[in-house]
Amino acid sequence: LDLVETVKTTGPLSGKTVVLTGTLEHYGRPEIEALLRRLGAHPSGSISKKTDFLLLGKDPGSKYDKAKELSIKVISEAEFIKLTKA
């Protein structure tokens, strides 16, 4: 039984910094952060110029405003799910 999880080194989220805001419908925070890591992404708690994507849930906070201000790509949970299936 191999407990080591495989991390994707290629794919749309590989090497990307992803920030989450709001409440997601299909994932809890620990679950989505673990999934992001498996996809090779770097989950982050705050928006900066180095952020590649903002994953937008229900009732987003100030992170959404800051992402718009910095022209960071905002993706919905549905878009995220499509990306992960690719």
Side-chain angles (χ1 to χ4, degrees):
L1 182 68
D2 189 4
L3 297 177
V4 175
E5 292 189 45
T6 305
V7 173
K8 277 187 141 186
T9 53
T10 59
L13 295 174
S14 181
K16 304 292 185 193
T17 299
V18 181
V19 175
L20 171 64
T21 188
T23 306
L24 296 177
E25 215 174 295
H26 298 95
Y27 302 97
R29 291 251 170 179
E31 188 184 3
I32 195 72
E33 287 179 7
L35 177 57
L36 285 166
R37 286 189 186 94
R38 278 197 309 275
L39 293 169
H42 308 286
S44 176
S46 59
I47 293 280
S48 75
K49 285 184 228 158
K50 293 179 181 173
T51 304
D52 294 294
F53 295 107
L54 176 69
L55 179 52
L56 187 64
K58 280 191 189 124
D59 302 319
S62 59
K63 291 177 191 172
Y64 178 60
D65 297 327
K66 184 141 188 207
K68 284 195 303 189
E69 198 179 293
L70 295 173
S71 301
I72 289 163
K73 183 166 173 59
V74 176
I75 58 174
S76 68
E77 186 174 5
E79 289 172 297
F80 173 78
I81 291 168
K82 274 188 206 163
L83 273 178
T84 61
K85 301 269 189 251

